[in-house]
Amino acid sequence: MKNLSASVKGLIFSLLAMGFAFAVYFLFLAKPNYYLVDNPTPETYYFKVNNGEEKVLSAGQYLKVDLKKGKNKIQVFDQNKQMLYDSAFTVNKVRGLLNITHKDYYINNQYYGYGLNKDSLMATKPGIEIDKKLYLGDVKKMNKLYSEDFYYNLDEDYDRVIKNVAKVESRSKIFRKQDFINYYNNYYKF
């Protein structure tokens, strides 16, 4: 190492720093992309995606599935293996949720930013009524077969660290109904 010129030492140091930065990103910061099939009900369902193998989804369970961009097909069966429906849906993004039970899910936008007054931001949004109770904020109800209108899936949490404090930005997360109510009551103290 003593015989190397300063420019070669600088190149080696910069390559090591770049390798360290990529390692930190892929180990701690990279967000995996995947699709989930969810069953928030007490029943058991069977399903096939794109005529693949039959999978079972027990009560309260979710599974990761492989989907391709573009048109996909799903067949859903009840616990007696009687077909409930055969449907097609289109995948455009890198993460999504298949709601095979057509139950209610809630997509919530959480705002980030320096000096952010989250209470005033929430008050400007229309909110949503769930079981005759009003929940303030930027929340949408979803009960269709497939959704990809969110950033964080059911099994992910919001970022605990604000990555960009120079501007106000938001991240959306999809919740089961009771999970959203629990999150709202714990996070927002009105």
Side-chain angles (χ1 to χ4, degrees):
M1 189 89 170
K2 289 182 181 181
N3 297 336
L4 298 175
S5 68
S7 59
V8 172
K9 287 180 185 179
L11 176 65
I12 292 172
F13 178 75
S14 62
L15 289 174
L16 289 173
M18 186 176 67
F20 178 74
F22 275 106
V24 166
Y25 174 77
F26 286 111
L27 291 175
F28 301 108
L29 301 174
K31 181 167 174 26
N33 296 316
Y34 54 87
Y35 304 93
L36 289 180
V37 178
D38 187 47
N39 177 14
T41 70
E43 288 86 30
T44 297
Y45 291 89
Y46 297 87
F47 67 93
K48 290 181 183 179
V49 175
N50 296 325
N51 294 319
E53 70 176 83
E54 184 177 85
K55 296 186 180 186
V56 62
L57 196 59
S58 300
Q61 184 181 25
Y62 55 80
L63 291 173
K64 291 181 182 179
V65 291
D66 292 325
L67 298 176
K68 60 183 190 279
K69 285 200 174 187
K71 193 169 184 174
N72 289 269
K73 183 178 169 186
I74 188 166
Q75 296 172 312
V76 179
F77 307 89
D78 66 11
Q79 57 195 8
N80 300 320
K81 296 196 177 186
Q82 300 296 316
M83 184 181 286
L84 295 173
Y85 61 87
D86 184 358
S87 188
F89 58 96
T90 303
V91 173
N92 295 313
K93 296 185 180 176
V94 293
R95 68 181 59 87
L97 177 79
L98 273 162
N99 177 9
I100 63 172
T101 62
H102 294 284
K103 293 294 181 187
D104 292 342
Y105 288 83
Y106 294 89
I107 300 172
N108 182 58
N109 279 313
Q110 180 171 304
Y111 293 92
Y112 297 90
Y114 181 74
L116 179 67
N117 184 349
K118 69 181 175 192
D119 296 339
S120 67
L121 268 174
M122 288 181 62
T124 63
K125 304 298 180 185
I128 196 163
E129 187 174 310
I130 304 172
D131 298 334
K132 298 182 182 178
K133 182 179 177 190
L134 180 64
Y135 294 85
L136 298 174
D138 192 359
V139 185
K140 295 184 294 188
K141 179 177 163 181
M142 187 285 295
N143 57 14
K144 58 186 179 178
L145 174 64
Y146 178 74
S147 179
E148 53 190 25
D149 299 331
F150 55 86
Y151 187 76
Y152 296 105
N153 220 321
L154 289 176
D155 60 341
E156 298 174 300
D157 292 326
Y158 282 111
D159 285 338
R160 296 190 185 275
V161 177
I162 298 170
K163 294 177 183 172
N164 185 359
V165 295
K167 63 179 181 175
V168 174
E169 58 183 52
S170 69
R171 288 282 190 250
S172 58
K173 175 174 172 34
I174 191 164
F175 292 91
R176 291 176 177 170
K177 177 181 173 182
Q178 191 57 50
D179 292 342
F180 172 73
I181 292 169
N182 294 344
Y183 166 79
Y184 185 92
N185 291 333
N186 289 331
Y187 187 75
Y188 299 108
K189 306 290 184 193
F190 292 111

